[in-house]
Amino acid sequence: MTQTPAPDTPIPPARDLPEMDSAAPDGGFGALVRGVLSSWPSRISALVLGAIILMAVLAPFLGTTDPVAINPALRLQGSGPEHWLGTDSFGRDVYSRIVYGARISLAVGAGTVLVSLLFGVFFGVITGYFKWADIIVMRFMDGLMAIPGILLAIALVAISGATLTTVLIAISVPEIPRIARMVRSVILGVKNEPYVEAASVLGTGVWKMVWRHMLPNTVAPLLVQGTYIFASAIMTESILSFLGAGIPPETPSWGNMMADGRTFFLLKPELILYPGAMVSLTVLSVNMLGDVLRDRLDPRMAKRL
Amino acid sequence: MLGFVVKRVLSAVPVLFMVAIIVFMVLRLSPGDPAVMIGGPNATPDQLAALRESMGLNKPLLEQLFIWLGAIAQGDFGVSLVSGKPVAALVMDRFGPTLALSLSTVVLAVAVAIPLGVIAAWQQGKWLDRLVMTGSVLGFSVPVFIIGYVLILIFARTLGWFPVQGYKPLSAGFHDFAIRLVLPSVTLSFPYIALIARIVRTNVIEVMNEDYIRTARAKGMTEGGVLMHHALGNAAVPIVTIIGVSIAMLIGGVVVTESVFNIPGLGRLVLEAVLARDYTVIQTVILLFSTIYVFINLGVDLLYGLLDPRIRY
């Protein structure tokens, strides 16, 4: 058996000019992170977001008690050594609920991004690549886009029952058409590029073509859209819960805390304001990072907004 | 031009048709039996069957869809499954407050956002610009109901300038009507102002680099004149577009704001209907909001020709 062993390291491509080595672009993920973190507002945003993520991960170790333990004898207490941020109308510890609430909000944000990107990219590719699908699916997407997202989400949750899964789906559905449209327009745009035609002439199959030659073009805009969807999902979850059409009321989420606090708002406004501040802080830092990311990755979009 | 208008109006029909199908599907394909809702937990199987029969719920789904679409086309929106009143009458009752709130919000938002955006563009990169831009990111990062509650806390509870909650129709006198609308409109306009100001700023900055701006300055036009006349005028199309597109955001905000300020409008109606699973009311209100949204954007499309004489149809 004679086999020529493959070289351990790939042979570096020969460069025509010596300068080209140093002129190689500072590419890759590390460069993007460095670029995004080059200004103070985005550094602070990243710090805040990092702290919130850490809080969610380390929730049980941050001096919290059971976030759902009810103690009617200690309802509506002020801040004290026992309960750092007081208790709510059921005597539950507000601090613990805030800390555990970060888990729900971040999970909803990440889940929504995942679900809407998955379906959005799928429909975008289908409609961008196949003409027959374009006509049917895009009409459907147009209809979906004409329905105000929050109304659709409220209706979906209220009718199919309030669970974390239905809330996730309800928040994701209105986002799908926007992603699909964007992916579709990118695919349509690169369809006539020489490299796609070349690949096509070489007999590249449909899925390899989409995966290798077309989808890489969508990564940058999807990353930007993803951050905005993450932020708006957290916001929408809190609105749905606030309106009573969100995840089950006993779950310690920021939205549910605000919904519970409504009745006692004039008496104890901090029951709404603490979780409200957390939602705002999270959404704000994600939005700030999204703006910087957009300026870095997509100059054309940056010009528009 | 007329041909274009007709074509655009006709293009809205399939979209609305699709909206109707989606709303119908969402409501009918999800678990939960309206007959059980109406009959209550004590209804016998016979009673439920009779209810389904009378409501047409045991016909094939496609037939139900076409019966419903046919009825809508004739202006028949059915009766509320909960109160038994005609849906059209319920919607009409609640339309006034929502219209008043939405209109005052749009007017307020545009009146505040355009000057803010122009100032930010003019002061690009300076502290005033930074302030406006930071405020704008903040504006759509804080949930609308938090803004509402903070405003209630400051201006109604502490300062006592406005009533805490409630709504009075215009027929009850202008003062009573207007004073109850101030806080809700300000609340609802926050994210809207943030969005519009951003768009105004970007587009004015873009226009400011054009040759005709330099010409206008060179001929001795004041900076204010350049900004208001040349820059804003030429940035009008994208600005009007975003005002139209974000009506969807406004509608979402209406539901929340009406809930915070206890305003008996369409937002509250749809929320009550959703919590009671009143299908006929839900589908009608969603359809109505979507129709309004589609037609506002249609109007925006048609406005382009007026705003920018270069656009010819």
Side-chain angles (χ1 to χ4, degrees):
Chain A
M1 240 172 96
T2 51
Q3 199 175 17
T4 40
D8 286 342
T9 47
I11 302 155
R15 302 195 190 263
D16 298 347
L17 297 165
E19 303 91 86
M20 276 185 77
D21 276 318
S22 55
D26 179 20
F29 187 69
L32 182 64
V33 172
R34 273 195 299 282
V36 166
L37 294 183
S38 61
S39 75
W40 275 109
S42 52
R43 275 179 206 158
I44 296 171
S45 305
L47 210 67
V48 170
L49 190 63
I52 292 168
I53 294 173
L54 217 61
M55 190 169 100
V57 174
L58 300 177
F61 309 107
L62 295 174
T64 53
T65 55
D66 185 358
V68 289
I70 292 175
N71 188 352
L74 293 172
R75 36 198 311 268
L76 299 175
Q77 298 231 319
S79 300
E82 272 297 296
H83 299 285
W84 295 353
L85 297 178
T87 58
D88 69 4
S89 57
F90 294 96
R92 295 174 295 200
D93 182 45
V94 171
Y95 168 71
S96 303
R97 289 176 74 73
I98 294 257
V99 171
Y100 276 94
R103 290 187 164 185
I104 306 285
S105 285
L106 294 178
V108 167
T112 305
V113 171
L114 219 65
V115 174
S116 55
L117 284 194
L118 211 65
F119 284 92
V121 168
F122 175 74
F123 286 122
V125 166
I126 295 270
T127 53
Y129 209 88
F130 305 107
K131 257 219 159 83
W132 54 266
D134 194 27
I135 298 164
I136 309 166
V137 178
M138 270 338 216
R139 289 294 80 73
F140 184 79
M141 294 286 167
D142 283 347
L144 208 53
M145 274 177 99
I147 304 174
I150 295 220
L151 281 187
L152 190 62
I154 297 174
L156 276 170
V157 173
I159 283 155
S160 21
T163 63
L164 194 56
T165 321
T166 43
V167 169
L168 251 176
I169 295 171
I171 301 177
S172 306
V173 166
E175 306 281 0
I176 293 172
R178 266 166 277 272
I179 300 279
R181 280 193 153 205
M182 201 200 69
V183 172
R184 171 178 173 270
S185 71
V186 170
I187 300 255
L188 286 176
V190 298
K191 238 179 170 175
N192 297 324
E193 291 284 332
Y195 62 87
V196 170
E197 279 175 5
S200 170
V201 168
L202 288 172
T204 311
V206 172
W207 296 115
K208 191 180 176 195
M209 173 78 92
V210 168
W211 185 253
R212 287 282 297 277
H213 301 294
M214 292 177 155
L215 279 185
N217 293 293
T218 63
V219 170
L222 283 181
L223 207 58
V224 175
Q225 276 302 310
T227 49
Y228 290 131
I229 290 178
F230 188 88
S232 92
I234 291 175
M235 179 77 102
T236 311
E237 185 275 319
S238 77
I239 289 175
L240 289 181
S241 300
F242 176 80
L243 292 175
I247 47 184
E250 62 279 2
T251 318
S253 87
W254 293 337
N256 279 337
M257 294 179 72
M258 293 189 271
D260 289 339
R262 287 180 73 174
T263 339
F264 302 95
F265 175 65
L266 291 177
L267 197 69
K268 211 166 177 290
E270 61 268 36
L271 285 182
I272 284 189
L273 297 182
Y274 289 151
M278 290 309 294
V279 171
S280 310
L281 217 56
T282 313
V283 174
L284 182 67
S285 52
V286 176
N287 272 338
M288 298 275 267
L289 288 174
D291 279 359
V292 182
L293 207 57
R294 187 195 55 207
D295 292 348
R296 287 260 143 199
L297 288 176
D298 194 347
R300 192 180 49 85
M301 233 158 93
K303 229 169 141 193
R304 193 143 34 92
L305 243 167
Chain B
M1 176 74 195
L2 189 68
F4 176 78
V5 174
V6 172
K7 224 165 98 187
R8 277 300 279 117
V9 172
L10 286 181
S11 74
V13 175
V15 174
L16 291 174
F17 185 68
M18 214 63 227
V19 169
I21 292 178
I22 294 170
V23 171
F24 183 84
M25 272 176 17
V26 165
L27 295 187
R28 294 304 151 87
L29 296 184
S30 28
D33 185 347
V36 178
M37 282 292 307
I38 315 240
N42 298 324
T44 62
D46 285 347
Q47 283 172 323
L48 288 180
L51 256 173
R52 285 194 196 104
E53 182 69 46
S54 70
M55 288 160 67
L57 288 171
N58 44 12
K59 293 200 177 83
L61 218 57
L62 210 60
E63 198 185 328
Q64 286 187 46
L65 172 66
F66 281 108
I67 292 175
W68 181 55
L69 288 177
I72 292 178
Q74 293 167 28
D76 173 13
F77 294 96
V79 293
S80 158
L81 297 184
V82 173
S83 68
K85 290 181 191 145
V87 175
L90 279 175
V91 169
M92 284 311 283
D93 272 358
R94 303 293 193 94
F95 197 70
T98 301
L99 186 69
L101 176 61
S102 312
L103 278 183
S104 57
T105 302
V106 173
V107 170
L108 178 71
V110 171
V112 175
I114 289 186
L116 275 184
V118 172
I119 290 173
W122 174 48
Q123 293 280 312
Q124 190 192 349
K126 303 202 179 104
W127 66 269
L128 205 56
D129 177 32
R130 293 234 178 91
L131 191 72
V132 172
M133 289 310 284
T134 310
S136 136
V137 188
L138 207 64
F140 46 72
S141 297
V142 182
V144 170
F145 52 89
I146 294 293
I147 298 172
Y149 279 126
V150 170
L151 289 179
I152 290 180
L153 209 57
I154 298 172
F155 294 101
R157 171 87 169 163
T158 309
L159 296 173
W161 291 355
F162 303 100
V164 172
Q165 283 175 324
Y167 175 80
K168 284 256 170 76
L170 191 52
S171 53
F174 181 76
H175 177 263
D176 281 2
F177 164 76
I179 198 156
R180 283 175 175 76
L181 221 50
V182 173
L183 289 186
S185 311
V186 173
T187 302
L188 188 51
S189 66
F190 259 83
Y192 216 42
I193 291 175
L195 191 67
I196 299 173
R198 260 169 101 97
I199 301 285
V200 170
R201 174 185 177 272
T202 324
N203 285 287
V204 168
I205 287 176
E206 198 169 312
V207 171
M208 291 301 272
N209 296 324
E210 297 280 347
D211 288 344
Y212 52 77
I213 298 289
R214 199 181 47 213
T215 310
R217 280 183 178 146
K219 76 180 184 195
M221 198 171 190
T222 59
E223 194 63 20
V226 171
L227 276 170
M228 296 315 288
H229 187 74
H230 290 287
L232 197 55
N234 282 292
V237 167
I239 294 170
V240 170
T241 306
I242 200 69
I243 294 175
V245 168
S246 47
I247 291 287
M249 199 169 90
L250 185 76
I251 292 170
V254 161
V255 182
V256 179
T257 311
E258 288 184 356
S259 176
V260 170
F261 288 94
N262 218 357
I263 297 171
L266 286 173
R268 278 268 305 282
L269 178 69
V270 77
L271 201 61
E272 289 159 15
V274 156
L275 298 179
R277 297 202 179 188
D278 194 342
Y279 291 76
T280 43
V281 175
I282 304 173
Q283 60 197 19
T284 309
V285 178
I286 295 186
L287 206 57
L288 176 70
F289 274 134
S290 306
T291 311
I292 293 173
Y293 177 60
V294 168
F295 275 93
I296 284 177
N297 282 293
L298 191 72
V300 166
D301 267 14
L302 300 178
L303 260 181
Y304 289 164
L306 288 179
L307 292 172
D308 189 344
R310 284 170 302 188
I311 298 176
R312 280 278 158 264
Y313 304 113

